[in-house]
Amino acid sequence: MVELFDRIYSKAELLKYVGQMDQLGGIKLLELSEGVEKSVRVALVRTGKLNFLVAIDRCMDIVNAEYMGIPLAFISPTGIVAPSFFEPEGLGWLRGFFGGLLTTCGLTYAGAPTIDHGEQLGLHGRISYIPAKLLRSEEYWDGDNYMLVLEGECREAMIFGPNIKLRRRIETILEGKHVRICDRIINCGWERQPLMVIYHFNLGFPILDEGSRLVSTSRIYFPRDEDAKVGAEKFDEFQSPTKGFREKVYIHDLAVDEKGYSYTALINNRLNLGFYIKFQKKDLPRLIEWKMMGEGTYVLGIEPSNCFVMGRAKEKELGTLQYIEAQEEKEFNLEIGVLQGNEISQYEEKVNKITKKERSKMVENVDEFLKAVEEA
């Protein structure tokens, strides 16, 4: 059944009101035309409640997103930048980091720039700048549910190097407030490759505001550096935009429910609105929190990942680097969505049940963190 405009409709009932379903929602394929975003293919997805823009030519990442007209995502000064402008060296990745609801980092390296066995690796990898081959854009009825599905494929490859394919499916329904993201990562080559993946969700004003709260199943966390240690006990609290604010990064280990799911959400009680992320911890064992309360760069990054953010060389040193074997396939599934009204209290009750209302424990550094996680 479809619930729209405070009424519930069957397929047969709803079709009597419209000439085509595009009147109520759907997927529209478009091409941008100005400045550095020129020729970038995008898909506008409308559910009747949730609208979001998928950048097909940027790894099918999600840029702008809004719920009932309320923006959810932080958009950086760069806006959408065509993949041809990619600068892989050092921090050049930031020149095209649009923020958006989701930017994917990886696939063979992510996190801080580093040198690994003589290879210079820039910030956060290449995959977010790789255009997708659009395989599917489909709207169809499944019983009384009207499905909206996008599917595409990107490949990070080079001669004498990695040959890794990312196949992404983005799925929602008419009147839906949630989106499912299913990624299949396939090593199409014949050598084992490093695998580092960060799902960089970026929430912004007005859902991020003074008084907003991070509510998660975090049980252990540590501050990445000295800047993050200042005020670390307030990792889940947020302030108004602050001149000269220095970014703070916290790495969390999350508790799970009986099905192995971890949960995290940003909640704004003034708006009576929240945004949640749900994922399997066995696939994405870390949660990175990027707390940036600066003027003009006012954003909370909530980042499920299979790695830390100190770079691939550090990951090797710690013995935590994950790999994908030749011809192996791995799957990552995430659910994101909006909480409103009593859904917020229901979500908090679920989190409290998982955490037993215990506050997350801070440790000083990554070594203590790994030890505490092992002992927990």
Side-chain angles (χ1 to χ4, degrees), residues 275-346:
F275 180 87
Y276 74 90
I277 306 170
K278 172 184 173 183
F279 56 95
Q280 281 280 324
K281 182 182 176 181
K282 65 178 178 61
D283 301 321
L284 298 165
R286 319 283 183 218
L287 180 76
I288 315 301
E289 176 193 350
W290 175 43
K291 182 178 177 180
M292 183 59 216
M293 303 282 97
E295 296 175 317
T297 310
Y298 187 69
V299 52
L300 172 66
I302 305 177
E303 308 165 26
S305 68
N306 75 337
C307 58
F308 294 113
V309 288
M310 291 85 85
R312 196 169 80 187
K314 182 65 174 179
E315 208 83 28
K316 284 185 176 179
E317 177 187 321
L318 293 169
T320 55
L321 181 62
Q322 292 193 17
Y323 292 86
I324 184 167
E325 301 295 332
Q327 302 299 307
E328 184 181 4
E329 177 178 323
K330 294 192 176 186
E331 187 169 298
F332 299 89
N333 291 280
L334 303 97
E335 179 180 304
I336 59 176
V338 170
L339 303 167
Q340 191 174 35
N342 62 7
E343 294 170 340
I344 293 175
S345 59
Q346 291 170 4

Side-chain angles (χ1 to χ4, degrees), residues 105-142:
C105 306
L107 294 170
T108 58
Y109 63 97
T114 188
I115 299 176
D116 182 26
H117 284 258
E119 182 182 6
Q120 294 192 10
L121 305 174
L123 180 69
H124 280 331
R126 296 177 173 273
I127 195 65
S128 71
Y129 283 84
I130 296 178
K133 178 181 180 180
L134 186 61
L135 303 175
R136 182 184 181 194
S137 173
E138 189 174 8
E139 307 169 31
Y140 62 94
W141 286 98
D142 181 7

Side-chain angles (χ1 to χ4, degrees), residues 1-2 9-12 14-15 140-147:
M1 306 295 284
V2 178
Y9 302 88
S10 68
K11 171 185 175 182
L14 194 60
L15 288 175
Y140 62 94
W141 286 98
D142 181 7
D144 282 328
N145 289 323
Y146 191 67
M147 307 297 298

Side-chain angles (χ1 to χ4, degrees), residues 233-246:
E233 70 282 357
K234 297 182 178 180
F235 72 89
D236 53 354
E237 300 176 17
F238 305 97
Q239 65 206 65
S240 58
T242 304
K243 188 175 184 63
F245 189 92
R246 295 179 67 86

Side-chain angles (χ1 to χ4, degrees), residues 55-66:
I56 299 167
D57 284 334
R58 290 289 303 270
C59 185
M60 295 191 66
D61 280 337
I62 302 173
V63 193
N64 304 76
E66 60 182 42

Side-chain angles (χ1 to χ4, degrees), residues 41-74:
R41 296 172 300 151
V42 297
L44 175 62
V45 182
R46 299 178 298 120
T47 75
K49 294 181 180 178
L50 191 64
N51 294 342
F52 57 95
L53 194 68
V54 177
I56 299 167
D57 284 334
R58 290 289 303 270
C59 185
M60 295 191 66
D61 280 337
I62 302 173
V63 193
N64 304 76
E66 60 182 42
Y67 174 72
M68 305 295 284
I70 300 174
L72 300 173
F74 165 75

